[in-house]
Amino acid sequence: MSLTTTTLGRGRRVAAGSLIAVAALALTACQNGTDSASRSSSVSAPAPATSQDSGHGAQPSGNPPSGNNPRPSGSQGRSAQASGPSPHTPSAAQSHPSAMTVSDRCTADNMSLRLGRTDIGAGNIHIPLVFTNKGKTACSLRGFPGVSLILRDGSTVGKPATRSGSAGGTVRLQPGQSAHAVLHTVNDGVSDTPCWKKSQLVFVYPPGSKDSMTTSSGGLRVCGGAFDVTTVEAGSLG
């Protein structure tokens, strides 16, 4: 064998070995890159939120979001809002407590007004303020009347009556039927607060009405600074 042939054979074997080494290095690099990409993907992908996590992030309907938990948006926000009405938002029954309409309300034009029998006891004076339906159709009353004491020249005596008790329900009056509210004051001497001067008329706005009515007060005098009125109830109390 010649020297030239031997040299060429060795050169081919060296070149082939170099190609094999380069290919192995390239394969190793590809595998490392794939593993790194897999690890990077697993780290950056967020874990799915559980229902408990969502519950902590959602704000109760009607309340402002806190500084650390922003208000949920998208479907999460709609789901939280659909869970129920705000406790601050009134329901239909709360917004419209009475079914009575304006046309159904008793007015000053279709009622008469008088004071009933005075009831005195334990230092207190109670006087029914009686409304009677004098119209030809039924009507309704609900709530407190506005009551003041005046003289015949229209000047006021003392202050308007304050409200006493709850608002009550609707009173339905057929023609000729009556309802009443109760005026209250105290006897002279029960309190050190001076009595007002005697009145001549009771000036009244029926519940829900802008038109006034008057009737004789029978010389009613308020003492002790106590003058209040209840809501209307069925009946006349005498």
Side-chain angles (χ1 to χ4, degrees), residues 133-174:
N133 181 5
K134 66 178 184 179
K136 296 181 179 180
T137 60
C139 62
S140 299
L141 285 175
R142 183 180 188 275
F144 296 89
V147 182
S148 296
L149 300 178
I150 63 173
L151 300 178
R152 295 194 183 279
D153 62 6
S155 59
T156 59
V157 178
K159 299 178 180 180
T162 58
R163 294 178 176 182
S164 175
S166 61
T170 300
V171 179
R172 185 74 171 170
L173 298 180
Q174 298 296 329

Side-chain angles (χ1 to χ4, degrees), residues 6-208:
T6 302
T7 301
L8 290 173
R10 289 178 179 173
R12 291 189 186 97
R13 288 195 294 270
V14 171
S18 298
L19 289 173
I20 293 172
V22 170
L25 289 174
L27 179 60
T28 302
C30 290
Q31 289 176 343
N32 290 339
T34 302
D35 293 341
S36 298
S38 298
R39 286 194 297 270
S40 176
S41 175
S42 64
V43 170
S44 61
T50 65
S51 60
Q52 182 178 2
D53 293 335
S54 299
H56 289 313
Q59 295 294 326
S61 176
N63 293 332
S66 64
N68 296 328
N69 293 321
R71 185 181 302 276
S73 60
S75 61
Q76 183 182 1
R78 288 192 294 271
S79 176
Q81 293 170 0
S83 62
S86 166
H88 304 294
T89 305
S91 65
Q94 292 172 327
S95 300
H96 307 283
S98 173
M100 182 176 61
T101 62
V102 174
S103 60
D104 186 52
R105 183 181 297 123
C106 299
T107 66
D109 292 335
N110 61 12
M111 290 191 297
S112 62
L113 178 69
R114 65 180 177 87
L115 293 184
R117 184 177 63 252
T118 301
D119 179 20
I120 302 175
N124 292 284
I125 301 174
H126 296 92
I127 307 174
L129 182 65
V130 183
F131 301 91
T132 301
N133 181 5
K134 66 178 184 179
K136 296 181 179 180
T137 60
C139 62
S140 299
L141 285 175
R142 183 180 188 275
F144 296 89
V147 182
S148 296
L149 300 178
I150 63 173
L151 300 178
R152 295 194 183 279
D153 62 6
S155 59
T156 59
V157 178
K159 299 178 180 180
T162 58
R163 294 178 176 182
S164 175
S166 61
T170 300
V171 179
R172 185 74 171 170
L173 298 180
Q174 298 296 329
Q177 291 184 333
S178 299
H180 72 278
V182 178
L183 301 177
H184 167 256
T185 187
V186 297
N187 281 329
D188 186 9
V190 171
S191 170
D192 293 333
T193 302
C195 297
W196 302 348
K197 61 184 177 182
K198 287 186 177 182
S199 62
Q200 295 175 322
L201 298 171
V202 183
F203 184 89
V204 178
Y205 286 103

